[in-house]
Amino acid sequence: MDPVPATHPLRRTPVQQRSADRLARILEACAELLDESGYENLSTRAVAARAGVPIGSVYRFFGNKRAMAVALAHRNLDRYTDAIADRLATLPDAGWRPVVDAVLDEYLAMKRTVPGFALVDFGVPSPPEDGPAADPNRTVAVRLTQLLATHLDRTPDASLERAVLVAVEATDALTKLAFRADPAGDPAIVEEIRAMMQAYLARVLD
């Protein structure tokens, strides 16, 4: 999975609600077409037609299909971390293990239900243009480290961030294995992923 740029891919940020609604329709259309025909066959014209907007509306926000997919990846990451934050707000003060479960469960829920997520989760399947500093798994790890540290009243130091990054990389690879074995995610492999995350993160969270 290639990097998500540090800068936002939008050419123009919507100010009025009508523009925001149009942008949302464009991204939903992009996600649906990714599921139907893949990234290589994605086009700005097809997205405009599916979204029911003029092609100029797409180019008002995006310079090309990659920018559009990157914006979808940004939105996915925002929704993922928001969902985790909502889950954490309901958790009792019972240590870090339920937090790690919430992190995995929300990711699996998105894999199963979010259009386009199989191809564009938090990064885009296209040639890298932005360098290693914008690596999507590192971006995810930074967000998760902040959430964990805040919820557990810990300092988000380099040791914690490094451990979270390793857990994210391992979970990313193993989740791909689970969904290759079963379109809904092989339950036995998912439980192995959960056990791996719990055992590995115990080194820094216990």
Side-chain angles (χ1 to χ4, degrees), residues 1 12 38 45 54 61 85 88 90 101 103 121 124 132 175 188 199-200:
M1 193 62 69
R12 178 181 302 178
R45 188 168 298 280
F61 293 115
L88 298 189
T90 68
D101 283 340
V103 167
D121 48 14
V124 289
T175 302
Y200 175 71

Side-chain angles (χ1 to χ4, degrees), residues 62-74:
F62 306 110
N64 51 42
K65 74 173 185 180
R66 184 175 188 275
M68 190 164 47
V70 169
L72 186 62
H74 275 271

Side-chain angles (χ1 to χ4, degrees), residues 83-163:
I84 293 170
D86 289 344
R87 281 276 298 272
L88 298 189
T90 68
L91 288 179
D93 185 13
W96 60 268
R97 284 174 175 80
V99 179
V100 173
D101 283 340
V103 167
L104 178 59
D105 290 342
E106 291 300 332
Y107 183 59
L108 293 172
M110 291 188 76
K111 289 279 285 186
R112 290 166 179 148
T113 64
V114 174
F117 198 79
L119 288 178
V120 174
D121 48 14
F122 309 124
V124 289
S126 63
E129 299 174 5
D130 305 290
D135 172 50
N137 279 346
R138 187 173 295 275
T139 303
V140 173
V142 169
R143 294 270 197 106
L144 293 180
T145 300
Q146 290 293 337
L147 286 169
L148 279 166
T150 299
H151 186 76
L152 301 173
D153 195 24
R154 294 175 59 106
T155 301
D157 57 21
S159 175
L160 179 58
E161 186 175 318
R162 183 169 55 252

Side-chain angles (χ1 to χ4, degrees), residues 27-75:
L27 290 178
E28 291 299 335
C30 176
E32 291 170 4
L33 289 169
L34 281 167
D35 277 344
E36 292 174 16
S37 56
Y39 181 79
E40 291 302 318
N41 293 318
L42 184 70
S43 72
T44 52
R45 188 168 298 280
V47 168
R50 174 65 62 91
V53 302
I55 186 66
S57 293
V58 175
Y59 286 121
R60 187 172 296 117
F61 293 115
F62 306 110
N64 51 42
K65 74 173 185 180
R66 184 175 188 275
M68 190 164 47
V70 169
L72 186 62
H74 275 271
R75 189 178 73 165

